[in-house]
Amino acid sequence: MALTQQSALLLPEKFGNWIVGPVEVPTPGPGQLLVKIEATALNPVDWKIQVYGMFIEKFPSILGSDAAGTVDAIGEGVEGFAVGDKVVYQGFFVNPQATFQQYGIANADVTAKIPSNITVDEAATIPLGLATAALGLFDLYAAGSAKLFPPWVEGGRGKYAGKAIVIFGGASSVGQYTIQLAKLAGFSSIITTASLKNTELLQSFGATHVLDRNLSEAALVAEVAKIAPVVEVVYDAISLASTQNPAYDIVAPGGTLVLVLPDQIDAAKKSAAPGKQIVNVFGNVNAPDRRKTGQTLYSKLTALLEEGAIKPNRVELLPNGLAGIPEGLKRMEKDQVSAVKLVARPQETV
Ligand SMILES: NC(=O)c1ccc[n+]([C@@H]2O[C@H](COP(=O)([O-])OP(=O)(O)OC[C@H]3O[C@@H](n4cnc5c(N)ncnc54)[C@H](OP(=O)(O)O)[C@@H]3O)[C@@H](O)[C@H]2O)c1
């Protein structure tokens, strides 16, 4: 008999305290899969929702955007997946599709099988970070993208040879995937900012230059100019005022700056140097306007992982399953997590 109850990490109310409690196992609708979630990763949005009371109005709420596990049941009309397949998918901001629970619903058209060279824990580090990188740079259909040609689509690899890209926050989860996609797209100079202890890791993903994230804004702009006099695309994976302002200075007139958080660039700076496009990405492949690009990405994801063209983030496994997540979110809030993704195993909840 199918399981009807499971454990979830619940936010009982706005600004509430996390609790682990029982909820019903959801049922997959047409085009969906029920997945036994064996690994879920933590993201900044999860602690921001709890601390700032943003985004979510319906409680109790289950959060979590990254999942990997085993297909447990299949909805009507789904082809290409079987019960028992190991899969990776991105969650969404409604309880059945959230990932801080033991069973969740995935949209099959934006789900990928996990190849044998990637562990389930590693797979869980991929969906939100990769989607935010991919949709911010390479979404040809939605607003909020630099609209470059995707490197995962035929003819896309190497297309931007000879060009430079600057990526603020290369060691962040989003930054790591942005570097890797920029490499696939062929950018000749991939300049990123990070703590210098992360230099080797970021070079292994394709960064050609790693600049100290603690340089002053002026020093950073000057360093980039020495490496690449014209930068048409800047991706700010951090998007604090302290990164957005130098990012705006760096992008060339006619170029595009991709932000992951709301625009905080000085108005005077913008009017002094107009003609630079600023776009805000919403990094979720389940969003209606992002789904088409999400489908093309997920149709190639298994092969990209198998080939090693996309490598997952490094994993730090949290103890106690879902119960270990709140402590991990506190560490993220305090900026105590560097170049690693925190992962919990919901089936090991105590
Ligand atoms: N718009 C969207 O849809 C969307 C989607 C996903 C994420 N986001 C936002 O994007 C941001 C990044 O998310 P994430 O999950 O990738 O973060 P993350 O992995 O938790 O970021 C941690 C990393 O940020 C780096 N960092 C922090 N401040 C920095 C600075 N001033 N300069 C350079 N690097 C800095 C640190 O690098 P070092 O270790 O090298 O110091 C650290 O490794 C968050 O604000 C998140 O809320 C938005």
Side-chain angles (χ1 to χ4, degrees), residues 42-45 47-48 54-55 90 128-129 131-132 168-176 193-198 202 212-214 235-240 242-243 259-261 280-284 313 332 335 337-341:
L42 282 60
N43 288 287
V45 70
W47 69 257
K48 289 178 186 177
M54 55 193 251
F55 273 151
Q90 185 169 14
L128 180 55
T132 308
F168 281 74
S172 68
S173 177
V174 173
Q176 292 183 33
T193 63
S195 296
L196 291 183
K197 64 177 182 197
N198 292 321
L202 304 189
D212 189 345
R213 65 173 264 194
N214 296 312
Y235 191 111
D236 185 353
I238 303 303
S239 290
L240 300 173
S242 57
T243 57
L259 300 180
V260 296
L261 296 177
N280 260 94
V281 60
F282 181 58
N284 198 300
N313 297 155
M332 294 181 79
D335 198 11
V337 178
S338 174
V340 78
K341 196 95 174 163

Side-chain angles (χ1 to χ4, degrees), residues 260-343:
V260 296
L261 296 177
D263 182 347
Q264 297 182 64
I265 300 161
D266 295 344
K269 189 186 281 296
K270 283 193 215 162
S271 47
K276 301 182 180 187
Q277 184 187 207
I278 301 169
V279 298
N280 260 94
V281 60
F282 181 58
N284 198 300
V285 294
N286 295 290
D289 64 331
R290 298 295 188 163
R291 190 89 168 241
K292 199 166 161 183
T293 297
Q295 288 165 347
T296 70
L297 176 63
Y298 270 77
S299 72
K300 299 288 169 56
L301 184 55
T302 309
L304 288 167
L305 293 170
E306 204 156 33
E307 178 195 339
I310 299 292
K311 295 183 192 73
N313 297 155
R314 295 186 303 194
V315 169
E316 181 188 327
L317 200 56
L318 298 171
N320 305 326
L322 297 168
I325 291 175
E327 196 51 43
L329 293 176
K330 274 277 163 252
R331 282 171 54 202
M332 294 181 79
E333 183 184 345
K334 293 184 196 154
D335 198 11
Q336 291 171 347
V337 178
S338 174
V340 78
K341 196 95 174 163
L342 302 183
V343 171

